[in-house]
């Protein structure tokens, strides 16, 4: 199936964060593709992936990177489609990556989620697709309901233990 | 016209940031609505606006707030549609608001843009709508092209002066 | 016995912090109840617990949460009774949670204690109850005296070893 | 009338923050007293005020201080009644004062509100008194309702202008 | 004369910082060129300037940018010649720009100087050229000697006033 | 022998930091005394130790504390003799303790050394005593010379391995 | 009179901070000398002043510097007498200068006071001299008593106005 | 062979960072020398190494240090050749060392690379040499090409696993 979400990792070491996003997209049956490409070291590859994906089936991008984290910004500079950024904690608790992801200049926004928060990047991507695709919105609604039921269940178990 | 973007300000003092967003949406001819409602002080109003808007025509939300900035998070808890958050600088250069906006738990993402960056919130909202609306994407593409031409022009003028 | 303190945890992972509070309240013989409910994921539950508790026997609330830590703020928005907030360290040494807990707008204060400081939340709750309940104040005074005796004892042992 | 809230300012320069607290307490008709005394420079005075007030009519304390902000902590060390701390911004956006106010060791909590947030200190003090004084709770409830009406009014005016 | 230093500003608002660099290079008689180009908004221009300059006469690059400050990193990704980065203070005292400039991944270093420190970028560029150009090294040595004489002179005047 | 340095630990958990100071003072043959006393929990003890020590043989104080770290400041408020403060890392890398130690108001300075840096507190204490005691200054000079010789030796060994 | 305190400013722009120290030393009749010399730009001068002063009459040093603030550390490396450091706020609220002043390695302590706190540097210097000079200790005691009387007086005036 | 790069470590504990630099320089066949010398503890040695190296064959310096990290700045004060600084993480995630390295005053720049980033210091040094030495530039170009091929290879393997 044609990918609707394109995930780019800044480096192979960001894989555990990407995995969290992938698991959510699998659950939501949203087709995706994952690439590894660096804003600085394999820059043309980033650009080529973004350009081709934009013209193809991709509706949302996810960029995952740590440190000076230029990857999501570079992606955002090469497409009119929305780009979600996930700052990864390598140093400073991820504050460097968060700043580099979110503090974009006028005209090239990145939609930043929390540090190491791959799951939320995927949910946000599904929300963006779901804004015009009722099927995805329903699956998202189901997943969140199940997730919230599970939380409620955990809550009740813990409350049972505590009181 | 029915609003496609719903902007909520956490307090009247956030108005200058909202204005930046509104100007962009006007340029892009994306219909919007602006409300002022506080996550803590007029909480039921927030919830009602979000619920009604989600069932209505709204495709994307923008929440603008400073300090402990719970507004975008509360919005995200009440809809499956995407919520863009704009942290506003009141104290600590806006670091408190940035953290409160972006560090959301699993299941309820907020798409944070940079501190005080109302314009980018509007562009991101338009990108989200544009993911399935070619007209908006074209206007966005035009606006960015004009903006980038203007930048190039400014660059050349400045370069002329400098060299 | 009817609870006089209502403790809400933002997530099951905050349990070790809640346990510290519970132990203090046990010692002080202040009846309490513990619930787990998320500001974003089981929001109506938070609201219902706070509303019912406020009308019931609860005199003070304790909210325990990490990251964007909206829980104590949401509790404070739904009651006129005092709400104590405990920021939990998940990222950034807990600075994100501290900011989200303490930087509340005018009209909806949260009484923040230190990061991960569940014991102090319980002591503060007992102080608030003790402001009009002499029995609790006496038990608090005893507990603190014993605690300070123990500290003095530890001090003297250590001093013995050192000098 | 006998003071129910004792406000201590760490230095005369903290007066604008104290004034915010005083205005709220006036509105709520909660009798208070204001003193100026430094944790380091007029330390015995702090101690004497706290001891005497604790034995007297005072139910809650408010300590207002900037920089290394030891005042609220010293107050908390000398009473079993609750102490609210207001960190004041002198340097570092008030982060030094916030840390010094909130990061108290086990056994001596301070209830910190946000940086420069004198109003919330007063509201919190009234909530603490209101936990057992229905009259104060009613006035608090009225004040908040009026305040929230005013906010709603401002919101509607602004919305009128915006839409 | 052919430029030996290529200065790129991320935006026209960075001009005051660039001016400091330009004044130093004038004093040192090191030919330079100044361009304005954005890592995100006129990205191809950045790349073209860097590629052409690298093949041409340019020996060192200076990139000046604020906020998420990707410019120097993008320059470094497109040349084997050294790139000096100047973080500009727009928000957070420039900490966001400093992190984005200096925290580069392995393989693509940027030589960061202090926040807003355009002069030092120019001196560093001259030191790099001076590593193999005795003329420039002499002029640099003269300039620093004069500068240090001026400082000594100022010091003595101030000491005269003080003692 | 009568103590010339009085070391106070804020809590028994600060012992490893105190040990570093003690070892240096042993080497320098500077008599000292160690106490454990808390600014908040055994406050009168702090005051009594400081008052008595000031009237006795003590020439310099060292206060060691983490978190809101009021201990050195309280010591400084109770003596005209110099007080050295050692911030201890418990949370935030010790930034809370550093701020609480160093940001003292006019009139009550604390001489702060680096986070967890017990050795330097002892050396500073010896320097203060050495300002008028030639014997101590000589021992200090010897110790530093030996230390620097050892460093030089380590340097040479490492250089041997490296080159 | 022979100087007992040697003050070195890192740059002429630090003069307002030095002035605060000078005023205190005048009041205390402690003879001092002021020099301006940079750790990086007139480094030999720093060294020469410190060496000569150490052999001469100087008992304590004060180093005042902003930014990377190496001056007090360099002074401490060239004497066995105590060195007080005053971090000056130029960027980041002075956090860069505070870190550079206080985070010294083992063997070369600097006694840091608060950001921009020239007065406390002078008081600390007088406390160090006063540790063995009863005259200075008396004057210090008088000055602090007067200062604290003045504070008490201000407190009472303000309390009069407030109550 | 005569060293073209002089690496100075502030302390033996910085060795793992230096090793990263050394490995890169070996690969690039750039002759280097490594010394261990402290800005504060063996200061004259630093100065002597820098002076002699500057007059000798050394074209670039690398200074590696943590905490108050004065070493690279002191090196820069003693040569007109470029000095690269590597801040080392000992406390605060290395923020203290980063500030001390990069925030240099006008006239004495240090070229800072990222925290613990020894490899990039070596690459930057090689870029500086390569600005006038085609052989080194070629080897650098090869190394980066191989490195980027390896990254591409890793990327493809990971992509194979993921899709």
């Amino acid at each position: 199936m044609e990918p609707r979400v394109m995930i780019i990792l800044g480096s192979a070491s960001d894989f555990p964060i990407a995995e969290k996003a992938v698991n959510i997209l699998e659950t939501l049956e949203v087709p995706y593709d994952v690439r590894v490409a660096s804003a600085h070291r394999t820059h043309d590859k980033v650009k080529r992936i973004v350009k081709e994906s934009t013209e193809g089936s991709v509706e949302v991008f996810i960029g995952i990177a740590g440190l000076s984290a230029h990857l999501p910004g570079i992606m955002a500079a090469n497409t009119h489609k929305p780009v979600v950024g996930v700052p990864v904690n390598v140093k400073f608790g991820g504050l460097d990556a968060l700043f580099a992801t979110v503090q974009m200049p006028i005209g090239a926004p990145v939609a930043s989620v929390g540090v190491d928060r791959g799951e939320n990047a995927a949910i946000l991507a599904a929300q963006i697709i779901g804004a015009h695709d009722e099927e995805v919105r329903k699956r998202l609604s189901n997943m969140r309901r199940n997730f919230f039921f599970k939380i409620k269940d955990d809550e009740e178990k813990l409350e049972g233990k505590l009181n």
Side-chain angles (χ1 to χ4, degrees), chain A:
Chain A
M1 257 177 96
E2 289 294 289
R4 302 181 75 178
V5 178
M6 171 57 75
I7 303 172
I8 309 184
L9 288 69
S11 109
S13 61
D14 301 325
F15 181 63
I17 309 303
E19 220 169 14
K20 300 181 192 177
V22 160
N23 290 341
I24 297 284
L25 294 175
E26 290 284 345
T27 305
L28 293 171
E29 295 166 54
V30 174
Y32 61 89
D33 211 344
V34 186
R35 302 292 170 83
V36 192
S38 160
H40 304 106
R41 296 176 294 199
T42 52
H43 181 273
D44 288 337
K45 189 179 166 189
V46 173
K47 207 167 159 178
R48 204 187 55 241
I49 298 169
V50 174
K51 294 274 185 204
E52 289 174 9
S53 303
T54 298
E55 284 158 25
S57 60
V58 167
E59 294 163 64
V60 198
F61 291 86
I62 296 176
I64 302 175
L67 298 167
S68 57
H70 298 183
L71 177 67
I74 293 308
M75 293 165 69
N78 283 290
T79 182
H80 294 303
K81 302 227 168 126
V83 176
V84 177
V86 188
V88 177
N89 176 12
V90 183
K91 296 271 176 188
F92 301 118
L95 188 61
D96 47 4
L98 173 57
F99 278 155
T101 302
V102 83
Q103 288 290 79
M104 293 289 292
I106 299 180
V110 166
S112 186
V113 295
V115 171
D116 294 341
R117 204 46 110 199
E119 310 88 338
N120 276 357
I123 295 173
L124 182 57
Q127 286 176 327
I128 290 170
I129 292 172
H132 63 278
D133 179 331
E134 222 188 302
E135 271 310 300
V136 168
R137 200 158 66 240
K138 265 187 207 159
R139 287 198 293 266
L140 185 60
S141 167
N142 281 342
M143 188 195 73
R144 288 179 102 185
R145 199 177 321 117
N146 291 341
F147 181 54
F148 295 169
F149 276 149
K150 203 194 144 297
I151 286 178
K152 271 195 191 157
D153 204 53
D154 288 358
E155 290 175 5
E156 277 154 31
K157 272 184 205 148
L158 187 59
E159 288 170 9
K161 264 201 337 212
L162 283 167
N163 294 306

